[in-house]
Amino acid sequence: MVTSKSQAELDMASKDVISAHVENTMPEMVAKEDPVDILAHDTNVYFTVEEERRVLRQIDLRVLPLMLGAYFLQQLDKSSLSYTSVFNIQKDAGLHGRQYSWLGSILYIAQLVMQPLGALLLVKLPTGKVISTAIFLWGVTMCGMAGCRNFKELLATRFLLGSFESLIGPSLVAVTQMWWRRSEQTNRTSAWNAMNGITSVFGSLSTYGLGHIKSDKLHSYQIIFLYCGGLTLVFSVFSFIFFPDSPMEAKFWKENERDIAIERLRANQTGIVSRKWRWEHVWEAILDPKTWCWFFLVMAISIPSGGIGTFGPLIVQSFGFNQFKTILFNIPFGVVNIIAILGGGWLATRIKSKGIIIAILALPCIVGAAILLGLPRGPNSKGPLLFAYYLTSFLSGITPLIYSWHVQNTAGDTKRKVTTGIVFIGMCAGNIIGPLLYSAEDKPYYRKGLISNLVMFCFVEVLVGFIILYLKFLNKKHSHMRSAIGKSAVIHDESMMRKTDLQNLGKGVNQQATPREEDNAFADMTDLKNEDFIYVY
Protein backbone atom coordinates (compact mmCIF):
# COMPACT_ATOMS: atom_id res chain seq x y z
CA MET A 1 0.00 0.00 0.00
CA VAL A 2 2.02 2.97 -1.30
CA THR A 3 0.61 6.33 -0.20
CA SER A 4 1.58 9.92 0.45
CA LYS A 5 2.52 10.88 3.99
CA SER A 6 -0.80 12.68 4.59
CA GLN A 7 -2.81 9.64 3.51
CA ALA A 8 -0.70 7.38 5.72
CA GLU A 9 -1.37 9.56 8.74
CA LEU A 10 -5.13 9.09 8.15
CA ASP A 11 -4.59 5.32 7.95
CA MET A 12 -2.93 5.30 11.35
CA ALA A 13 -6.27 5.93 12.97
CA SER A 14 -7.65 2.63 11.74
CA LYS A 15 -4.65 0.29 11.84
CA ASP A 16 -1.03 0.02 12.88
CA VAL A 17 1.29 1.02 10.05
CA ILE A 18 5.01 0.50 9.87
CA SER A 19 6.99 3.22 8.17
CA ALA A 20 9.82 2.68 5.75
CA HIS A 21 11.71 4.35 2.95
CA VAL A 22 12.35 2.41 -0.22
CA GLU A 23 13.49 3.33 -3.70
CA ASN A 24 10.44 2.56 -5.84
CA THR A 25 11.67 2.06 -9.39
CA MET A 26 9.40 0.46 -11.98
CA PRO A 27 10.66 -3.07 -12.80
CA GLU A 28 11.00 -2.35 -16.52
CA MET A 29 13.33 0.55 -15.75
CA VAL A 30 15.75 -1.61 -13.71
CA ALA A 31 18.71 -3.37 -15.28
CA LYS A 32 18.44 -7.02 -14.27
CA GLU A 33 22.21 -7.26 -13.94
CA ASP A 34 22.35 -4.38 -11.44
CA PRO A 35 19.73 -4.82 -8.69
CA VAL A 36 21.22 -1.89 -6.75
CA ASP A 37 19.53 0.41 -9.32
CA ILE A 38 16.20 -0.55 -7.80
CA LEU A 39 17.12 1.62 -4.82
CA ALA A 40 17.90 4.66 -6.94
CA HIS A 41 14.71 6.61 -6.15
CA ASP A 42 13.67 8.04 -2.80
CA THR A 43 9.94 7.69 -2.23
CA ASN A 44 7.98 6.41 0.74
CA VAL A 45 6.42 2.99 1.16
CA TYR A 46 4.13 2.22 4.08
CA PHE A 47 3.08 -1.29 4.96
CA THR A 48 1.17 -2.97 7.72
CA VAL A 49 2.21 -5.87 9.93
CA GLU A 50 -0.15 -8.13 7.98
CA GLU A 51 1.31 -7.03 4.64
CA GLU A 52 4.80 -7.91 5.83
CA ARG A 53 3.57 -11.27 7.14
CA ARG A 54 2.11 -11.99 3.71
CA VAL A 55 5.46 -11.22 2.07
CA LEU A 56 7.29 -13.39 4.62
CA ARG A 57 4.90 -16.28 3.90
CA GLN A 58 5.65 -15.89 0.19
CA ILE A 59 9.38 -16.10 0.87
CA ASP A 60 8.99 -19.12 3.16
CA LEU A 61 6.84 -20.93 0.58
CA ARG A 62 8.81 -20.00 -2.55
CA VAL A 63 12.45 -19.93 -1.45
CA LEU A 64 12.84 -22.04 1.70
CA PRO A 65 11.63 -25.38 0.20
CA LEU A 66 14.21 -25.11 -2.59
CA MET A 67 16.92 -24.46 0.01
CA LEU A 68 15.75 -27.47 2.02
CA GLY A 69 15.86 -29.69 -1.06
CA ALA A 70 19.33 -28.52 -2.09
CA TYR A 71 20.86 -29.09 1.34
CA PHE A 72 19.03 -32.40 1.82
CA LEU A 73 20.49 -33.79 -1.40
CA GLN A 74 23.96 -32.44 -0.66
CA GLN A 75 23.95 -34.21 2.71
CA LEU A 76 22.45 -37.39 1.24
CA ASP A 77 24.99 -37.61 -1.56
CA LYS A 78 28.09 -36.90 0.49
CA SER A 79 27.00 -39.17 3.38
CA SER A 80 26.17 -42.03 1.01
CA LEU A 81 29.73 -43.23 1.59
CA SER A 82 29.02 -43.91 5.26
CA TYR A 83 25.94 -45.96 4.36
CA THR A 84 27.93 -48.08 1.92
CA SER A 85 30.54 -48.77 4.61
CA VAL A 86 28.31 -51.34 6.30
CA PHE A 87 27.56 -52.99 2.93
CA ASN A 88 31.19 -53.95 2.36
CA ILE A 89 32.42 -51.18 0.05
CA GLN A 90 35.87 -51.77 1.56
CA LYS A 91 35.87 -55.37 0.29
CA ASP A 92 34.04 -54.76 -3.02
CA ALA A 93 36.26 -51.83 -4.04
CA GLY A 94 39.45 -53.35 -2.62
CA LEU A 95 40.00 -50.66 0.03
CA HIS A 96 42.60 -51.20 2.75
CA GLY A 97 44.40 -49.25 5.50
CA ARG A 98 43.25 -45.64 5.68
CA GLN A 99 41.86 -45.54 2.12
CA TYR A 100 38.27 -45.44 3.36
CA SER A 101 39.21 -42.52 5.66
CA TRP A 102 40.73 -40.68 2.69
CA LEU A 103 37.50 -41.10 0.72
CA GLY A 104 35.79 -39.21 3.55
CA SER A 105 38.45 -36.49 3.73
CA ILE A 106 39.00 -35.91 -0.01
CA LEU A 107 35.52 -34.43 -0.40
CA TYR A 108 36.39 -31.68 2.07
CA ILE A 109 39.83 -31.14 0.55
CA ALA A 110 38.00 -30.34 -2.69
CA GLN A 111 35.60 -28.03 -0.86
CA LEU A 112 38.52 -26.26 0.83
CA VAL A 113 40.34 -25.73 -2.49
CA MET A 114 37.18 -24.39 -4.13
CA GLN A 115 36.16 -21.87 -1.44
CA PRO A 116 38.03 -18.83 -2.90
CA LEU A 117 36.50 -19.45 -6.33
CA GLY A 118 33.12 -20.02 -4.72
CA ALA A 119 33.25 -16.66 -2.89
CA LEU A 120 34.05 -14.89 -6.18
CA LEU A 121 31.26 -16.68 -8.06
CA LEU A 122 28.71 -15.77 -5.37
CA VAL A 123 29.58 -12.08 -5.68
CA LYS A 124 29.73 -12.02 -9.49
CA LEU A 125 27.00 -14.45 -10.61
CA PRO A 126 23.25 -14.87 -9.90
CA THR A 127 22.94 -17.01 -6.78
CA GLY A 128 20.00 -19.13 -7.97
CA LYS A 129 21.81 -20.11 -11.17
CA VAL A 130 24.99 -20.97 -9.25
CA ILE A 131 23.07 -23.27 -6.89
CA SER A 132 21.12 -25.00 -9.66
CA THR A 133 24.21 -25.62 -11.79
CA ALA A 134 26.09 -27.05 -8.82
CA ILE A 135 23.21 -29.43 -8.01
CA PHE A 136 23.11 -30.72 -11.61
CA LEU A 137 26.88 -31.25 -11.79
CA TRP A 138 27.18 -33.15 -8.52
CA GLY A 139 24.15 -35.27 -9.50
CA VAL A 140 26.01 -36.31 -12.65
CA THR A 141 29.09 -37.04 -10.53
CA MET A 142 27.10 -39.23 -8.12
CA CYS A 143 25.80 -41.31 -11.01
CA GLY A 144 29.37 -41.57 -12.31
CA MET A 145 30.55 -42.91 -8.94
CA ALA A 146 28.43 -46.00 -9.56
CA GLY A 147 30.94 -46.97 -12.24
CA CYS A 148 33.93 -46.76 -9.88
CA ARG A 149 35.48 -50.08 -8.89
CA ASN A 150 38.70 -49.16 -7.07
CA PHE A 151 40.22 -46.59 -4.70
CA LYS A 152 41.69 -44.30 -7.38
CA GLU A 153 38.41 -43.98 -9.27
CA LEU A 154 36.42 -43.40 -6.09
CA LEU A 155 38.96 -40.82 -4.89
CA ALA A 156 38.76 -38.85 -8.16
CA THR A 157 34.96 -38.77 -8.26
CA ARG A 158 34.69 -37.89 -4.55
CA PHE A 159 37.00 -34.93 -5.28
CA LEU A 160 34.68 -33.79 -8.09
CA LEU A 161 31.66 -34.28 -5.84
CA GLY A 162 33.23 -32.08 -3.18
CA SER A 163 34.14 -29.41 -5.75
CA PHE A 164 30.55 -28.99 -6.90
CA GLU A 165 29.03 -29.35 -3.43
CA SER A 166 31.41 -26.66 -2.09
CA LEU A 167 29.11 -23.95 -3.45
CA ILE A 168 25.97 -25.02 -1.60
CA GLY A 169 26.75 -24.18 2.03
CA PRO A 170 28.06 -20.63 1.33
CA SER A 171 25.26 -20.08 -1.19
CA LEU A 172 22.53 -20.95 1.29
CA VAL A 173 24.14 -18.73 3.94
CA ALA A 174 24.08 -15.88 1.38
CA VAL A 175 20.46 -16.63 0.40
CA THR A 176 19.37 -16.63 4.06
CA GLN A 177 20.95 -13.23 4.63
CA MET A 178 19.50 -11.94 1.37
CA TRP A 179 15.84 -12.78 2.06
CA TRP A 180 15.26 -12.72 5.84
CA ARG A 181 15.67 -10.27 8.72
CA ARG A 182 18.33 -11.09 11.31
CA SER A 183 15.64 -12.12 13.81
CA GLU A 184 14.32 -14.64 11.26
CA GLN A 185 17.63 -16.00 9.98
CA THR A 186 18.50 -18.39 12.80
CA ASN A 187 15.32 -20.47 12.45
CA ARG A 188 15.67 -20.58 8.64
CA THR A 189 19.34 -21.58 8.87
CA SER A 190 18.34 -24.25 11.38
CA ALA A 191 15.60 -25.45 9.03
CA TRP A 192 17.90 -26.15 6.10
CA ASN A 193 20.58 -27.58 8.39
CA ALA A 194 17.96 -29.90 9.90
CA MET A 195 18.05 -31.69 6.55
CA ASN A 196 21.22 -33.24 7.94
CA GLY A 197 19.11 -35.20 10.43
CA ILE A 198 16.35 -35.94 7.94
CA THR A 199 19.01 -37.23 5.54
CA SER A 200 20.23 -39.59 8.26
CA VAL A 201 16.73 -41.00 8.75
CA PHE A 202 15.83 -41.10 5.03
CA GLY A 203 19.23 -42.40 3.99
CA SER A 204 19.19 -45.16 6.60
CA LEU A 205 15.72 -46.33 5.58
CA SER A 206 16.55 -46.13 1.87
CA THR A 207 19.83 -48.00 2.14
CA TYR A 208 18.17 -50.61 4.36
CA GLY A 209 15.89 -51.38 1.42
CA LEU A 210 18.54 -50.96 -1.29
CA GLY A 211 20.90 -53.21 0.65
CA HIS A 212 18.47 -56.11 0.16
CA ILE A 213 18.69 -55.85 -3.64
CA LYS A 214 20.72 -58.72 -5.05
CA SER A 215 22.47 -58.10 -8.36
CA ASP A 216 25.06 -60.05 -10.33
CA LYS A 217 26.29 -56.90 -12.09
CA LEU A 218 26.22 -54.18 -9.42
CA HIS A 219 27.54 -54.10 -5.87
CA SER A 220 25.33 -52.59 -3.15
CA TYR A 221 27.42 -49.40 -3.03
CA GLN A 222 26.91 -48.85 -6.78
CA ILE A 223 23.13 -49.19 -6.45
CA ILE A 224 23.14 -46.67 -3.58
CA PHE A 225 25.22 -44.15 -5.59
CA LEU A 226 22.91 -44.46 -8.63
CA TYR A 227 19.84 -43.94 -6.47
CA CYS A 228 21.22 -40.79 -4.81
CA GLY A 229 22.48 -39.35 -8.10
CA GLY A 230 19.15 -39.92 -9.84
CA LEU A 231 17.22 -38.08 -7.11
CA THR A 232 19.64 -35.14 -7.38
CA LEU A 233 19.32 -34.83 -11.15
CA VAL A 234 15.52 -34.75 -10.96
CA PHE A 235 15.61 -31.99 -8.31
CA SER A 236 18.09 -29.91 -10.33
CA VAL A 237 15.43 -29.41 -13.02
CA PHE A 238 13.03 -27.84 -10.50
CA SER A 239 15.85 -25.71 -9.09
CA PHE A 240 16.71 -24.26 -12.51
CA ILE A 241 13.06 -23.34 -13.05
CA PHE A 242 12.06 -21.96 -9.66
CA PHE A 243 15.13 -20.80 -7.65
CA PRO A 244 15.18 -16.94 -7.68
CA ASP A 245 18.47 -15.04 -7.78
CA SER A 246 17.52 -12.27 -5.32
CA PRO A 247 14.49 -10.45 -3.86
CA MET A 248 14.98 -7.76 -6.49
CA GLU A 249 14.87 -10.21 -9.40
CA ALA A 250 12.22 -12.68 -8.20
CA LYS A 251 9.29 -13.04 -10.58
CA PHE A 252 6.62 -14.14 -8.11
CA TRP A 253 5.94 -10.75 -6.45
CA LYS A 254 2.56 -9.04 -6.72
CA GLU A 255 1.89 -5.29 -6.55
CA ASN A 256 4.33 -3.70 -4.06
CA GLU A 257 5.51 -6.96 -2.42
CA ARG A 258 9.01 -6.62 -3.84
CA ASP A 259 9.40 -3.16 -2.29
CA ILE A 260 8.29 -4.50 1.11
CA ALA A 261 10.65 -7.49 0.77
CA ILE A 262 13.60 -5.14 0.20
CA GLU A 263 12.66 -2.48 2.74
CA ARG A 264 12.04 -4.94 5.57
CA LEU A 265 15.77 -5.77 5.45
CA ARG A 266 16.82 -2.19 6.23
CA ALA A 267 17.22 -2.85 9.96
CA ASN A 268 19.79 -5.60 9.24
CA GLN A 269 22.37 -2.90 8.48
CA THR A 270 24.28 -5.48 6.43
CA GLY A 271 23.91 -3.98 2.95
CA ILE A 272 22.44 -5.68 -0.09
CA VAL A 273 23.59 -7.71 -3.07
CA SER A 274 26.07 -5.52 -4.96
CA ARG A 275 27.66 -7.85 -7.56
CA LYS A 276 30.83 -5.73 -7.09
CA TRP A 277 34.05 -7.20 -5.74
CA ARG A 278 35.62 -4.81 -3.22
CA TRP A 279 39.23 -5.52 -2.26
CA GLU A 280 39.03 -3.29 0.80
CA HIS A 281 36.34 -5.66 2.11
CA VAL A 282 38.62 -8.63 1.46
CA TRP A 283 41.49 -7.18 3.50
CA GLU A 284 39.17 -6.18 6.34
CA ALA A 285 37.72 -9.70 6.46
CA ILE A 286 41.22 -11.21 6.64
CA LEU A 287 42.39 -8.80 9.36
CA ASP A 288 39.19 -8.92 11.42
CA PRO A 289 39.73 -11.07 14.58
CA LYS A 290 36.07 -12.14 14.41
CA THR A 291 36.72 -13.94 11.14
CA TRP A 292 39.29 -16.21 12.75
CA CYS A 293 37.12 -16.79 15.81
CA TRP A 294 34.42 -18.18 13.49
CA PHE A 295 37.08 -20.14 11.60
CA PHE A 296 38.45 -21.94 14.67
CA LEU A 297 34.99 -22.41 16.18
CA VAL A 298 33.58 -24.15 13.12
CA MET A 299 36.79 -26.16 12.63
CA ALA A 300 36.64 -27.34 16.25
CA ILE A 301 33.12 -28.71 15.86
CA SER A 302 33.77 -30.04 12.34
CA ILE A 303 36.59 -32.33 13.50
CA PRO A 304 34.19 -34.55 15.54
CA SER A 305 31.45 -34.01 12.97
CA GLY A 306 33.66 -35.30 10.15
CA GLY A 307 34.94 -38.24 12.15
CA ILE A 308 31.57 -39.38 13.51
CA GLY A 309 29.83 -38.59 10.21
CA THR A 310 32.16 -40.90 8.29
CA PHE A 311 32.67 -43.60 10.92
CA GLY A 312 29.33 -43.38 12.77
CA PRO A 313 27.81 -46.56 11.30
CA LEU A 314 31.09 -48.41 11.88
CA ILE A 315 31.15 -47.22 15.51
CA VAL A 316 27.60 -48.55 15.97
CA GLN A 317 28.56 -51.82 14.25
CA SER A 318 31.47 -52.16 16.72
CA PHE A 319 28.91 -52.37 19.54
CA GLY A 320 28.04 -55.84 18.23
CA PHE A 321 25.25 -55.30 15.62
CA ASN A 322 24.96 -56.76 12.11
CA GLN A 323 24.83 -54.52 9.03
CA PHE A 324 21.04 -54.15 8.85
CA LYS A 325 20.59 -53.47 12.57
CA THR A 326 23.46 -50.97 12.33
CA ILE A 327 21.59 -49.04 9.64
CA LEU A 328 18.35 -49.05 11.67
CA PHE A 329 20.07 -47.98 14.89
CA ASN A 330 21.51 -45.00 13.01
CA ILE A 331 17.98 -43.59 12.55
CA PRO A 332 17.64 -42.23 16.13
CA PHE A 333 20.96 -40.42 15.59
CA GLY A 334 19.24 -38.48 12.80
CA VAL A 335 16.19 -37.80 14.97
CA VAL A 336 18.41 -36.30 17.69
CA ASN A 337 20.07 -34.25 14.94
CA ILE A 338 16.73 -32.74 13.98
CA ILE A 339 15.77 -32.01 17.60
CA ALA A 340 19.15 -30.40 18.35
CA ILE A 341 19.15 -28.25 15.20
CA LEU A 342 15.55 -27.03 15.32
CA GLY A 343 15.44 -26.80 19.12
CA GLY A 344 18.76 -24.96 19.24
CA GLY A 345 17.64 -22.51 16.58
CA TRP A 346 14.32 -21.87 18.31
CA LEU A 347 15.96 -21.32 21.70
CA ALA A 348 18.63 -19.03 20.23
CA THR A 349 15.92 -16.93 18.60
CA ARG A 350 13.83 -16.93 21.75
CA ILE A 351 16.57 -15.74 24.10
CA LYS A 352 18.39 -13.77 21.36
CA SER A 353 21.72 -15.44 22.08
CA LYS A 354 23.54 -18.00 19.98
CA GLY A 355 26.69 -18.26 22.09
CA ILE A 356 24.86 -19.52 25.16
CA ILE A 357 22.95 -22.15 23.16
CA ILE A 358 26.14 -23.37 21.48
CA ALA A 359 27.73 -23.80 24.91
CA ILE A 360 24.67 -25.75 26.13
CA LEU A 361 24.64 -28.04 23.06
CA ALA A 362 28.31 -28.90 23.54
CA LEU A 363 27.65 -30.33 27.03
CA PRO A 364 25.86 -33.57 26.00
CA CYS A 365 28.56 -34.09 23.36
CA ILE A 366 31.22 -33.99 26.09
CA VAL A 367 29.24 -36.48 28.18
CA GLY A 368 28.65 -38.79 25.20
CA ALA A 369 32.30 -38.87 24.13
CA ALA A 370 33.41 -39.52 27.72
CA ILE A 371 31.01 -42.48 28.07
CA LEU A 372 32.11 -43.99 24.72
CA LEU A 373 35.71 -43.80 25.93
CA GLY A 374 34.97 -45.24 29.36
CA LEU A 375 32.57 -48.11 28.69
CA PRO A 376 33.81 -51.59 27.68
CA ARG A 377 32.40 -53.23 24.54
CA GLY A 378 30.16 -56.21 25.15
CA PRO A 379 26.53 -57.45 25.11
CA ASN A 380 25.72 -55.74 28.44
CA SER A 381 26.97 -52.34 27.22
CA LYS A 382 25.01 -52.03 23.96
CA GLY A 383 22.26 -49.84 25.43
CA PRO A 384 24.51 -47.34 27.26
CA LEU A 385 26.87 -47.20 24.26
CA LEU A 386 24.01 -46.35 21.90
CA PHE A 387 22.77 -43.70 24.35
CA ALA A 388 26.27 -42.15 24.46
CA TYR A 389 26.50 -42.25 20.66
CA TYR A 390 23.16 -40.43 20.36
CA LEU A 391 24.35 -37.76 22.83
CA THR A 392 27.20 -36.86 20.47
CA SER A 393 24.56 -36.13 17.83
CA PHE A 394 23.83 -32.82 19.59
CA LEU A 395 26.92 -31.48 17.81
CA SER A 396 24.76 -31.05 14.71
CA GLY A 397 22.88 -28.20 16.39
CA ILE A 398 26.07 -26.16 16.77
CA THR A 399 27.12 -25.75 13.12
CA PRO A 400 23.97 -23.92 11.88
CA LEU A 401 24.19 -21.53 14.84
CA ILE A 402 27.77 -20.70 13.84
CA TYR A 403 26.63 -20.09 10.25
CA SER A 404 23.90 -17.66 11.31
CA TRP A 405 26.03 -16.12 14.08
CA HIS A 406 28.88 -15.14 11.78
CA VAL A 407 26.68 -13.79 8.98
CA GLN A 408 24.60 -11.72 11.43
CA ASN A 409 27.80 -10.12 12.70
CA THR A 410 29.33 -9.30 9.31
CA ALA A 411 28.29 -6.52 6.91
CA GLY A 412 29.35 -5.55 3.40
CA ASP A 413 28.56 -7.86 0.48
CA THR A 414 32.14 -8.82 -0.40
CA LYS A 415 33.30 -9.01 3.22
CA ARG A 416 30.36 -11.19 4.16
CA LYS A 417 31.01 -13.66 1.35
CA VAL A 418 34.77 -13.72 1.96
CA THR A 419 34.13 -14.32 5.67
CA THR A 420 31.67 -17.09 4.80
CA GLY A 421 34.31 -18.60 2.51
CA ILE A 422 36.86 -18.58 5.35
CA VAL A 423 34.29 -20.13 7.71
CA PHE A 424 33.67 -22.91 5.21
CA ILE A 425 37.40 -23.42 4.81
CA GLY A 426 37.45 -24.02 8.57
CA MET A 427 34.55 -26.43 8.21
CA CYS A 428 36.37 -28.26 5.43
CA ALA A 429 39.64 -28.39 7.38
CA GLY A 430 37.84 -29.93 10.36
CA ASN A 431 36.07 -32.48 8.18
CA ILE A 432 39.37 -33.40 6.52
CA ILE A 433 41.09 -33.94 9.86
CA GLY A 434 38.14 -35.71 11.53
CA PRO A 435 37.99 -38.95 9.50
CA LEU A 436 41.81 -39.27 9.52
CA LEU A 437 41.76 -39.46 13.32
CA TYR A 438 39.75 -42.66 12.98
CA SER A 439 40.87 -45.89 11.36
CA ALA A 440 39.10 -49.18 10.77
CA GLU A 441 42.10 -50.81 12.45
CA ASP A 442 41.25 -48.98 15.73
CA LYS A 443 37.93 -50.75 16.23
CA PRO A 444 36.11 -51.39 18.46
CA TYR A 445 37.20 -48.51 20.73
CA TYR A 446 38.41 -45.86 18.24
CA ARG A 447 40.23 -44.17 21.12
CA LYS A 448 42.33 -41.72 19.11
CA GLY A 449 39.27 -40.33 17.34
CA LEU A 450 37.07 -40.14 20.43
CA ILE A 451 39.75 -38.47 22.57
CA SER A 452 40.28 -35.80 19.90
CA ASN A 453 36.52 -35.26 19.74
CA LEU A 454 36.30 -34.78 23.51
CA VAL A 455 39.09 -32.19 23.42
CA MET A 456 37.37 -30.27 20.59
CA PHE A 457 34.02 -30.17 22.42
CA CYS A 458 35.77 -28.62 25.44
CA PHE A 459 37.59 -26.12 23.20
CA VAL A 460 34.23 -25.00 21.78
CA GLU A 461 33.07 -24.05 25.28
CA VAL A 462 36.15 -21.88 25.88
CA LEU A 463 36.09 -20.16 22.47
CA VAL A 464 32.38 -19.29 22.70
CA GLY A 465 33.02 -17.45 25.97
CA PHE A 466 35.80 -15.42 24.34
CA ILE A 467 33.65 -14.52 21.30
CA ILE A 468 30.80 -13.24 23.48
CA LEU A 469 33.17 -10.96 25.39
CA TYR A 470 34.73 -9.65 22.16
CA LEU A 471 31.35 -8.84 20.58
CA LYS A 472 30.34 -6.91 23.71
CA PHE A 473 33.59 -4.93 23.39
CA LEU A 474 32.79 -4.09 19.75
CA ASN A 475 29.29 -2.86 20.67
CA LYS A 476 30.79 -0.50 23.25
CA LYS A 477 33.25 0.74 20.62
CA HIS A 478 30.42 1.49 18.16
CA SER A 479 28.50 3.27 20.91
CA HIS A 480 31.48 5.61 21.38
CA MET A 481 31.71 6.11 17.60
CA ARG A 482 28.05 7.23 17.46
CA SER A 483 28.54 9.62 20.36
CA ALA A 484 31.58 11.14 18.69
CA ILE A 485 29.58 12.18 15.60
CA GLY A 486 26.53 13.41 17.50
CA LYS A 487 24.31 10.32 17.23
CA SER A 488 22.57 8.59 20.10
CA ALA A 489 24.97 6.25 21.88
CA VAL A 490 22.14 3.80 22.65
CA ILE A 491 20.08 2.45 19.76
CA HIS A 492 17.68 -0.50 19.51
CA ASP A 493 18.56 -3.44 17.29
CA GLU A 494 15.35 -3.48 15.25
CA SER A 495 16.58 -6.37 13.09
CA MET A 496 16.27 -8.73 16.08
CA MET A 497 12.79 -7.50 17.05
CA ARG A 498 9.36 -8.69 16.03
CA LYS A 499 7.02 -6.15 14.47
CA THR A 500 4.86 -6.13 17.58
CA ASP A 501 7.96 -5.20 19.59
CA LEU A 502 8.62 -2.30 17.23
CA GLN A 503 5.09 -1.04 17.69
CA ASN A 504 5.50 -1.23 21.47
CA LEU A 505 8.51 1.05 21.07
CA GLY A 506 6.25 3.56 19.39
CA LYS A 507 7.46 3.05 15.83
CA GLY A 508 5.07 4.79 13.53
CA VAL A 509 4.92 6.62 10.26
CA ASN A 510 8.06 8.51 9.29
CA GLN A 511 9.90 7.47 12.46
CA GLN A 512 13.31 5.86 12.34
CA ALA A 513 16.29 5.90 14.65
CA THR A 514 18.61 7.37 12.06
CA PRO A 515 17.71 10.15 9.58
CA ARG A 516 17.48 8.94 5.99
CA GLU A 517 20.47 10.91 4.81
CA GLU A 518 22.61 9.31 7.55
CA ASP A 519 21.18 5.79 7.25
CA ASN A 520 23.80 3.19 6.21
CA ALA A 521 21.39 0.24 5.95
CA PHE A 522 21.62 -0.18 2.17
CA ALA A 523 25.14 1.16 1.76
CA ASP A 524 27.71 -1.52 1.00
CA MET A 525 29.55 -0.79 4.25
CA THR A 526 31.36 -3.25 6.48
CA ASP A 527 30.29 -3.82 10.06
CA LEU A 528 33.46 -2.26 11.48
CA LYS A 529 32.95 0.95 9.46
CA ASN A 530 29.20 1.27 10.10
CA GLU A 531 28.71 2.85 13.53
CA ASP A 532 25.00 1.89 13.45
CA PHE A 533 25.82 -1.83 13.25
CA ILE A 534 24.93 -3.80 16.39
CA TYR A 535 26.67 -7.11 17.09
CA VAL A 536 24.58 -9.99 18.42
CA TYR A 537 25.81 -12.51 20.95
Side-chain angles (χ1 to χ4, degrees), residues 121-394:
L121 292 176
L122 286 175
V123 172
K124 290 289 189 180
L125 299 178
T127 308
K129 304 299 186 300
V130 169
I131 292 173
S132 302
T133 303
I135 294 171
F136 173 77
L137 290 174
W138 95 59
V140 172
T141 305
M142 275 301 300
C143 291
M145 283 180 65
C148 299
R149 295 182 177 273
N150 56 55
F151 173 68
K152 289 183 179 179
E153 293 174 357
L154 286 168
L155 193 72
T157 50
R158 286 281 291 180
F159 183 88
L160 286 176
L161 184 69
S163 298
F164 299 133
E165 288 188 349
S166 68
L167 295 167
I168 295 304
S171 296
L172 296 187
V173 169
V175 170
T176 305
Q177 182 276 330
M178 191 189 303
W179 287 86
W180 285 278
R181 289 165 56 90
R182 288 207 297 182
S183 61
E184 302 157 353
Q185 288 171 9
T186 302
N187 282 334
R188 273 64 181 188
T189 301
S190 296
W192 54 263
N193 269 275
M195 295 300 103
N196 200 348
I198 293 176
T199 295
S200 182
V201 175
F202 178 84
S204 296
L205 289 173
S206 297
T207 52
Y208 180 83
L210 294 170
H212 282 86
I213 297 175
K214 304 299 180 185
S215 172
D216 295 331
K217 296 183 178 180
L218 294 174
H219 296 298
S220 293
Y221 77 86
Q222 294 173 309
I223 295 172
I224 292 169
F225 289 156
L226 274 176
Y227 172 76
C228 294
L231 288 178
T232 303
L233 287 175
V234 171
F235 180 80
S236 70
V237 176
F238 292 94
S239 184
F240 272 115
I241 296 171
F242 297 111
F243 213 123
D245 294 316
S246 73
M248 290 76 80
E249 296 160 298
K251 294 180 174 60
F252 53 76
W253 298 128
K254 298 176 184 177
E255 298 176 354
N256 67 328
E257 288 179 343
R258 183 194 63 173
D259 293 343
I260 296 172
I262 297 171
E263 179 57 32
R264 64 192 293 275
L265 302 178
R266 179 182 294 276
N268 286 356
Q269 292 287 328
T270 54
I272 56 171
V273 178
S274 70
R275 303 259 166 90
K276 295 177 182 177
W277 184 263
R278 302 184 188 274
W279 281 106
E280 64 272 22
H281 286 202
V282 176
W283 303 128
E284 182 174 312
I286 293 172
L287 296 174
D288 189 345
K290 295 197 315 303
T291 302
W292 301 105
C293 288
W294 311 130
F295 173 86
F296 286 111
L297 185 61
V298 78
M299 185 172 72
I301 200 61
S302 295
I303 288 174
S305 176
I308 294 173
T310 302
F311 276 83
L314 292 177
I315 292 173
V316 173
Q317 195 171 40
S318 74
F319 299 161
F321 300 111
N322 65 29
Q323 58 188 18
F324 290 108
K325 285 187 176 180
T326 295
I327 287 294
L328 291 177
F329 278 125
N330 212 51
I331 292 175
F333 189 88
V335 174
V336 177
N337 265 347
I338 298 168
I339 294 171
I341 293 170
L342 295 180
W346 181 83
L347 279 173
T349 302
R350 192 73 178 175
I351 70 172
K352 300 179 182 177
S353 174
K354 292 166 189 63
I356 292 173
I357 301 304
I358 289 174
I360 291 173
L361 288 172
L363 292 175
C365 300
I366 292 171
V367 174
I371 294 174
L372 287 173
L373 281 166
L375 279 182
R377 303 302 186 260
N380 296 330
S381 301
K382 287 183 179 180
L385 287 170
L386 277 174
F387 174 73
Y389 175 66
Y390 297 150
L391 283 179
T392 64
S393 184
F394 278 90

Side-chain angles (χ1 to χ4, degrees), residues 2-76:
V2 181
T3 70
S4 66
K5 179 178 177 182
S6 59
Q7 180 62 46
E9 288 172 340
L10 291 175
D11 290 342
M12 284 291 289
S14 59
K15 60 181 178 178
D16 293 322
V17 180
I18 294 171
S19 165
H21 299 284
V22 72
E23 294 72 350
N24 190 20
T25 307
M26 293 299 290
E28 60 267 25
M29 296 171 61
V30 177
K32 183 178 179 181
E33 293 79 11
D34 191 4
V36 178
D37 289 347
I38 292 175
L39 305 176
H41 293 263
D42 187 21
T43 57
N44 288 334
V45 168
Y46 301 94
F47 54 89
T48 65
V49 172
E50 184 52 43
E51 285 173 326
E52 187 186 16
R53 284 176 182 159
R54 187 180 71 242
V55 169
L56 180 58
R57 281 196 297 270
Q58 278 271 68
I59 296 169
D60 285 339
L61 289 173
R62 300 272 190 161
V63 182
L64 189 58
L66 293 167
M67 297 170 68
L68 300 182
Y71 201 73
F72 169 82
L73 289 167
Q74 185 216 27
Q75 293 298 314
L76 179 68

